[in-house]
């Protein structure tokens, strides 16, 4: 009988404790101020902030998380400097080219055309006119310039910096270089990059052989 009584008490106590559980909020909090945040209204005035302004200006010389500073100005001089100096920090790979092709189809092909010939659907419908082909003579189309134009826009083309990230702009630039090569009947950017890397490797090996031979002669 005593055992049954103990079992009954244990069941009653367990049921009482479990019935008070709340999955969304703990029953007891140790130092609740560590769990409950202090909420401030957006743009509200509070004495704890400088000038009582909740919305404070970011500290000097800081940039948003994930933002990469871009040191080329939005001007003709800035564009020419980007063409001459700016190189992609990302390796030319099949994966980057595939992503660039998808993004190009989404954002660029409507004007520039699927092949880069300047005959996108908006051009054919005469919504925009005078969009040149990537293969037009005299056009200095290079990776840095493509990235710069996507960042700031050029002529009738607006900026795409808010639609595509820094990496995505480079991936699109890779695909544009591929389209330019195809229009000119030249090898794609992946092939030319690998060929350049192979040439550098051969030169390094020859230099190493020359250095080794020179050291042997000195001995």
């Amino acid at each position: 009988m005593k055992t049954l009584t103990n079992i009954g008490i244990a069941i009653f106590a367990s049921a009482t404790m479990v019935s008070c559980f709340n999955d969304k909020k703990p029953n007891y909090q140790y130092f609740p101020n560590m769990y409950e945040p202090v909420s401030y209204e957006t743009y509200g005035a509070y004495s704890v902030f400088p000038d009582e302004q909740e919305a404070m200006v970011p500290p000097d010389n800081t940039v948003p998380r994930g933002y990469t500073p871009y040191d080329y100005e939005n001007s003709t001089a800035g564009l020419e400097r980007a063409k001459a100096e700016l190189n992609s920090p990302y390796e030319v790979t099949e994966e980057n080219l595939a992503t660039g092709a998808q993004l190009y189809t989404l954002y660029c092909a409507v004007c520039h055309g699927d092949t880069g010939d300047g005959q996108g659907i908006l051009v054919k419908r005469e919504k925009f006119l005078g969009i040149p082909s990537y293969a037009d003579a005299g056009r200095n189309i290079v990776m840095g310039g493509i990235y710069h134009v996507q960042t700031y826009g050029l002529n009738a083309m607006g900026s795409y910096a808010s639609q595509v990230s820094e990496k995505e702009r480079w991936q699109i630039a890779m695909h544009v270089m591929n389209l330019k090569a195809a229009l000119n009947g030249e090898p794609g950017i992946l092939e030319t990059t690998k060929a350049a890397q192979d040439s550098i490797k051969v030169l390094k090996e020859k230099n190493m052989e020359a250095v080794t031979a020179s050291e042997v002669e000195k001995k």
Side-chain angles (χ1 to χ4, degrees):
M1 185 67 181
K2 186 176 180 180
T3 302
L4 293 174
T5 302
N6 291 337
I7 293 174
I9 293 172
I11 292 174
F12 177 78
S14 299
T16 302
M17 294 176 65
V18 172
S19 65
C20 296
F21 284 177
N22 186 336
D23 293 336
K24 296 182 179 179
K25 187 175 182 180
N27 292 325
Y28 300 101
Q29 293 181 344
Y30 183 67
F31 286 140
N33 58 327
M34 297 179 65
Y35 299 91
E36 303 293 342
V38 178
S39 179
Y40 298 103
E41 292 185 9
T42 305
Y43 305 116
Y46 301 94
S47 60
V48 296
F49 296 112
D51 299 324
E52 298 187 353
Q53 294 298 312
E54 184 273 340
M56 295 185 292
V57 177
D60 293 337
N61 302 316
T62 59
V63 297
R65 187 184 299 275
Y67 172 77
T68 302
Y70 188 62
D71 297 328
Y72 296 82
E73 62 181 15
N74 183 16
S75 64
T76 301
L79 173 59
E80 293 304 317
R81 193 163 72 89
K83 288 181 178 180
E85 302 174 357
L86 195 56
N87 293 306
S88 173
Y90 302 98
E91 184 180 356
V92 178
T93 62
E94 292 182 2
E95 182 181 357
N96 281 334
L97 284 169
T99 302
Q102 293 174 348
L103 293 168
Y104 177 91
T105 300
L106 181 62
Y107 293 106
C108 315
V110 290
C111 290
H112 292 279
D114 291 327
T115 64
D117 59 356
Q119 295 300 307
I121 188 171
L122 293 182
V123 175
K124 291 178 180 179
R125 292 178 179 177
E126 298 186 352
K127 302 297 182 182
F128 292 99
L129 299 176
I131 297 178
S133 167
Y134 295 141
D136 282 358
R139 296 199 70 192
N140 180 24
I141 299 178
V142 294
M143 293 271 282
I146 299 167
Y147 181 88
H148 185 89
V149 171
Q150 290 181 85
T151 302
Y152 289 122
L154 183 66
N155 299 327
M157 173 181 163
S159 168
Y160 279 81
S162 61
Q163 289 96 321
V164 288
S165 66
E166 177 248 356
K167 182 177 182 179
E168 289 172 336
R169 274 173 268 163
W170 282 116
Q171 290 170 326
I172 292 173
M174 294 178 194
H175 181 64
V176 170
M177 294 302 295
N178 247 3
L179 294 178
K180 176 187 174 184
L183 288 168
N184 289 323
E186 300 171 349
I189 185 175
L190 187 60
E191 297 175 63
T192 54
T193 301
K194 286 183 177 179
Q197 290 174 344
D198 290 341
S199 298
I200 293 172
K201 183 178 179 180
V202 170
L203 287 173
K204 286 182 178 179
E205 290 175 351
K206 287 183 177 180
N207 288 337
M208 289 296 296
E209 291 174 358
V211 170
T212 303
S214 176
E215 291 177 350
V216 170
E217 290 177 359
K218 289 179 180 179
K219 293 180 180 179

